Amino acid sequence: MSVHQNVDMKLDCRPDFVSLVWTKSRPQAEPSLIRLGNCPPTSVSAEEAVFNVGLNDCHFRRMVTGDQLVYTNDLTYIPSSDSHMPAFSLPVVCAYERPVDWYPPMYDPVLFDTYGQGELVFHMELMNDDFSGPAPSTAFPLGSLIPIMASVEHKSHQPLLLLLEECVATTTPELQPENHLFPIITNKGCLVDSKGTRSKFEQRQKSSEIHLSLQAFKFALGEEVFIHCKLLAWDPSGLDRSKKACHYVKDHGWELLDNPSYSSLCDCCDSSCTSRRTRSIASGKHGIAHNAVLGPLTITDWNA
């Protein structure tokens, strides 16, 4: 057992579960919006969010380093759209002595919660106009389209579906509590920037890759901009309200990229797309999440 503590959270790493207490230190923060991986708090008070979860839940990532088993996750805060409180993320790490008789499990094409023999490699890149190669420049005029490609490579022949769960733009390569943020994708896969702009997901060429055409926005003009995204690799048959890619089509409404006939999964994009955690665990399906940072890029104003 090990206990770690910083100004915001106390982490207690037990043999098969984790106890974490996040204590409110920012006046405008709402404890109910804190997430450990994909898990909401076990209990919430006005000042604290408490998590008591198993290491096989909440998308904990497992790695073997020498004689240690290391479990990692992210404690994240994504504020509501009307809040002035910025988003933030804190690393959660529990390290255990590797049991003498422990070996990496054989790769199961349905379960993606371990790096074992099915190691995944995530990639994110600025592309040229037709997504056929890297972007020739990192400067984009205001109103033009910024082509972004994200992918996951895997050793198994089992197809994976790559999703962009959250994306925000900021002016620093690391998310800081004081950062001003520009929301791009929120609410577990909703491209909120597509409402009122030309931003959209492009039709997929393969499930393990996703193309985003993002209209250059009026944020930090002339400054360095970084795009922070949470990538999620999942079983292609596991789409639901918390695992999706939705964009807004003018005069039509929210549309599901991967199967428009199920666009009702996107109805929650204007409210709250809560995770149906019990159902997800019962199905035995897990994904692997990865936080990626793209940049720096610059948005220029033709009229300046």
Side-chain angles (χ1 to χ4, degrees):
M1 182 185 76
S2 59
V3 178
H4 312 275
Q5 189 162 4
N6 68 14
V7 68
D8 285 334
M9 72 175 186
K10 180 180 180 181
L11 174 64
D12 187 359
C13 300
R14 299 299 182 100
D16 55 359
F17 77 96
V18 168
S19 178
L20 187 153
V21 179
W22 177 85
T23 303
K24 181 176 178 178
S25 63
R26 302 165 172 88
Q28 295 178 324
E30 172 52 56
S32 65
L33 298 179
I34 293 283
R35 294 292 182 268
L36 177 58
N38 69 327
C39 291
T42 307
S43 63
V44 175
S45 69
E47 300 297 325
E48 289 184 342
V50 178
F51 298 84
N52 292 299
V53 298
L55 290 167
N56 290 324
D57 299 330
C58 306
H59 293 167
F60 269 93
R61 302 176 289 273
R62 180 171 59 187
M63 293 175 287
V64 183
T65 58
D67 60 355
Q68 286 191 322
L69 277 177
V70 181
Y71 290 82
T72 63
N73 212 326
D74 300 289
L75 188 73
T76 57
Y77 180 82
I78 302 295
S80 58
S81 58
D82 58 349
S83 171
H84 297 294
M85 175 71 196
F88 61 83
S89 178
L90 298 172
V92 176
V93 180
C94 286
Y96 303 88
E97 183 179 353
R98 176 179 175 177
V100 175
D101 58 351
W102 190 92
Y103 296 93
M106 292 300 293
Y107 183 64
D108 184 334
V110 177
L111 298 176
F112 307 114
D113 59 352
T114 177
Y115 282 95
Q117 295 181 13
E119 185 174 356
L120 306 182
V121 178
F122 291 91
H123 183 70
M124 194 171 178
E125 187 175 3
L126 292 172
M127 304 296 288
N128 59 13
D129 290 343
D130 62 0
F131 291 89
S132 61
S137 170
T138 57
F140 298 89
L142 180 65
S144 67
L145 291 178
I146 305 172
I148 297 171
M149 183 273 290
S151 65
V152 59
E153 298 176 12
H154 46 95
K155 297 176 181 178
S156 168
H157 295 295
Q158 173 75 15
L160 289 177
L161 183 71
L162 184 72
L163 299 169
L164 296 175
E165 186 173 271
E166 310 280 349
C167 288
V168 296
T170 185
T171 55
T172 60
E174 296 181 354
L175 287 177
Q176 308 286 352
E178 66 274 11
N179 279 155
H180 177 55
L181 303 177
F182 182 89
I184 298 170
I185 298 174
T186 64
N187 224 347
K188 299 187 180 297
C190 300
L191 180 55
V192 292
D193 189 63
S194 61
K195 296 193 75 173
T197 74
R198 295 187 293 137
S199 296
K200 63 176 180 176
F201 290 116
E202 302 290 351
Q203 186 173 357
R204 286 190 195 265
Q205 303 303 309
K206 49 186 176 181
S207 65
S208 59
E209 195 169 289
I210 191 165
H211 293 177
L212 168 63
S213 290
L214 178 66
Q215 186 171 352
F217 36 84
K218 197 170 185 178
F219 172 77
L221 288 175
E223 299 181 44
E224 287 190 340
V225 173
F226 297 84
I227 297 176
H228 299 256
C229 290
K230 183 174 183 180
L231 283 56
L232 183 65
W234 201 268
D235 172 13
S237 66
L239 289 174
D240 63 26
R241 284 159 49 98
S242 65
K243 296 174 288 296
K244 62 192 182 302
C246 300
H247 55 200
Y248 194 86
V249 179
K250 187 178 179 181
D251 300 325
H252 175 72
W254 288 102
E255 183 176 279
L256 184 68
L257 169 66
D258 294 294
N259 192 338
S261 63
Y262 286 90
S263 291
S264 59
L265 292 178
C266 304
D267 290 348
C268 61
C269 283
D270 288 322
S271 54
S272 177
C273 300
T274 55
S275 174
R276 297 179 179 180
R277 180 167 172 247
T278 302
R279 181 177 177 181
S280 177
I281 291 174
S283 70
K285 295 176 181 177
H286 295 267
I288 287 184
H290 174 72
N291 292 325
V293 182
L294 190 64
L297 57 97
T298 307
I299 298 171
T300 59
D301 189 350
W302 273 328
N303 300 315

